């Protein structure tokens, strides 16, 4: 069921809980919740977001999960969080200071959860949050609280640089690295 206009307006005041558990192979980290996700209470929930199809097509999950099934992720060794907790209509509404503070909070979360990999979905947000202006997609040399760091393309349907096949291939490269 789609959120109503009133629910979407109220979503600006909501945050999403982290989906984490012990023994995570990958902690996926979005930029921040969109209003649709905040209204529904589920990460990457907006129709057209390609996170859930990319997870499945890359082999992380045996079937495509619906955003409402996000709590099943830890059973697959996966978790999900955001750099910034504040919900916005667009990621460009976030300030540099919010992204930098979010990078510090993500570091603390990684220290608590100790995933093998932290995968940030969104190169621009990663560059800002971690002051890495020249970072590229894929594995990063630095670690975050002992976890290996990987940058993936933003799965938003608005990201025209990565179509579904290329996005799934980028996620698959990370999945294959988790098996090494």
């Amino acid at each position: 069921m789609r959120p109503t206009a009133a629910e979407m307006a109220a979503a600006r005041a909501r945050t999403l809980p982290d989906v984490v558990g012990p023994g995570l192979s990958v902690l996926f980290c979005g930029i921040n919740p969109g209003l649709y996700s905040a209204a529904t209470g589920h990460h990457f929930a907006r129709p057209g977001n390609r996170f859930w199809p990319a997870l499945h097509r890359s082999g992380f999950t045996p079937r495509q999960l619906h955003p409402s099934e996000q709590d099943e992720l830890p059973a697959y060794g996966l978790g999900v969080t955001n750099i910034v907790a504040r919900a916005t209509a667009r990621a460009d509404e976030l300030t540099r200071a919010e992204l930098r503070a979010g990078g510090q909070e993500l570091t603390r979360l990684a220290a608590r959860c100790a995933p093998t990999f932290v995968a940030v979905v969104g190169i621009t947000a990663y560059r800002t949050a971690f002051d890495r202006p020249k970072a590229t997609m894929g594995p990063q040399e630095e670690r975050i609280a002992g976890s290996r760091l990987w940058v993936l393309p933003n799965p938003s349907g608005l990201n025209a640089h990565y179509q579904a096949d290329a996005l799934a291939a980028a996620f698959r490269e990370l999945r294959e690295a988790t098996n090494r």
Side-chain angles (χ1 to χ4, degrees):
M1 178 189 299
R2 290 184 174 271
T4 65
E7 290 168 330
M8 292 289 281
R12 287 191 183 274
R14 294 190 66 194
T15 59
L16 295 178
D18 297 329
V19 177
V20 295
L24 294 181
S25 177
V26 180
L27 175 61
F28 290 96
C29 182
I31 301 167
N32 76 308
L35 296 180
Y36 195 100
S37 288
T40 63
H42 306 299
H43 293 271
F44 300 104
R46 179 174 276 294
N49 190 295
R50 300 165 303 172
F51 177 78
W52 300 101
L55 271 188
H56 171 61
R57 290 184 62 197
S58 64
F60 275 113
T61 59
R63 64 179 178 83
Q64 185 174 320
L65 299 176
H66 184 269
S68 65
E69 298 175 296
Q70 68 186 15
D71 291 335
E72 294 183 26
L73 287 174
Y76 298 113
L78 308 174
V80 66
T81 188
N82 288 291
I83 294 175
V84 175
R86 180 171 74 93
T88 61
R90 296 178 324 277
D92 65 5
E93 295 176 43
L94 300 172
T95 68
R96 179 180 223 51
E98 283 178 294
L99 288 164
R100 298 293 288 271
Q104 293 171 354
E105 184 56 36
L106 178 58
T107 300
R108 287 188 285 275
L109 178 62
R112 285 192 308 273
C113 295
T116 305
F117 285 89
V118 171
V120 178
V121 293
I123 186 80
T124 303
Y126 169 74
R127 288 173 175 163
T128 302
F130 292 94
D131 196 27
R132 300 283 189 262
K134 297 185 188 290
T136 59
M137 294 290 183
Q140 306 301 303
E141 291 203 18
E142 65 272 5
R143 290 181 177 250
I144 179 170
S147 299
R148 293 177 64 192
L149 188 55
W150 201 283
V151 178
L152 291 167
N154 186 334
S156 167
L158 300 175
N159 183 358
H161 297 301
Y162 281 85
Q163 297 303 314
D165 289 342
L167 187 63
F171 274 61
R172 186 175 309 106
E173 186 180 354
L174 171 59
R175 186 194 45 80
E176 290 169 353
T178 68
N179 293 334
R180 287 186 222 127

